[in-house]
Amino acid sequence: NSPAGPGLVALTAGSIFQHVSEQPHFVGVSYLNIYNDKFTDLLNPADKELKVKTQQSLGVYVAELSELSVKSASDLMRLYDQGNKVRKILELEMNTPTTKSHTIFSIWCEYRTAQQNLVRSQIQFFNVAGLNHSR
């Protein structure tokens, strides 16, 4: 959120929970930081380095990246804010401005159709190094 109003993540969270309330669903999030080819989980920042892997059924993914369940837009925003605080701490520890790291905040929703088919939709917010400043 900013003085101009809610940001895209907050608006998206509100919209998702407006629409999914009509049926049973699962909504989850993950938050990844990438700096100097090192991957860090911003929702569970352990000292272990995460690895990018490929699996035929999943495609390319980051192994052991936390995927946390959220029950409301406010839960989602709490985790997003928590991840941003961790990112600031990492910036201080590495003595590096966050403009040199990339982040990917992912939100997904799963539900079953009337025919019991599982549907998974996902949206990702990318913050690319050097592109997070006003012009």
Side-chain angles (χ1 to χ4, degrees), residues 4 14 21 23 29 31 40 44 60 71 78 83 103 114 119 127 134:
S21 63
Q23 60 191 17
V29 298
Y31 204 175
T40 306
N44 185 19
V60 178
K71 300 289 183 200
R78 181 183 49 77
T103 60
V119 175
N127 185 339
S134 299

Side-chain angles (χ1 to χ4, degrees), residues 61-80:
Y61 68 100
V62 178
E64 299 184 52
L65 179 63
S66 298
E67 296 182 342
L68 303 179
S69 174
V70 292
K71 300 289 183 200
S72 66
S74 60
D75 279 353
L76 189 150
M77 290 308 299
R78 181 183 49 77
L79 289 174
Y80 180 68

Side-chain angles (χ1 to χ4, degrees), residues 20-124:
V20 298
S21 63
E22 300 158 7
Q23 60 191 17
H25 63 278
F26 173 82
V27 178
V29 298
S30 63
Y31 204 175
L32 179 67
N33 189 73
I34 306 164
Y35 175 72
N36 277 351
D37 298 326
K38 284 187 73 176
F39 297 85
T40 306
D41 187 337
L42 292 175
L43 299 179
N44 185 19
D47 280 338
K48 69 179 162 186
E49 190 173 331
L50 302 176
K51 304 282 185 203
V52 175
K53 302 209 174 192
T54 304
Q55 190 174 51
Q56 188 172 1
S57 62
L58 295 174
V60 178
Y61 68 100
V62 178
E64 299 184 52
L65 179 63
S66 298
E67 296 182 342
L68 303 179
S69 174
V70 292
K71 300 289 183 200
S72 66
S74 60
D75 279 353
L76 189 150
M77 290 308 299
R78 181 183 49 77
L79 289 174
Y80 180 68
D81 292 341
Q82 174 187 316
N84 285 332
K85 287 176 186 167
V86 170
R87 186 175 185 218
K88 295 270 187 226
I89 292 168
L90 290 174
E91 172 187 350
L92 293 171
E93 288 176 356
M94 294 184 287
N95 196 26
T96 298
T98 55
T99 55
K100 295 191 182 224
S101 70
H102 312 288
T103 60
I104 303 170
F105 184 70
S106 300
I107 306 170
W108 69 92
C109 181
E110 293 179 351
Y111 66 93
R112 293 214 176 264
T113 64
Q115 296 78 26
Q116 293 302 308
N117 296 321
L118 182 65
V119 175
R120 179 175 170 134
S121 300
Q122 183 168 322
I123 186 169
Q124 296 177 316

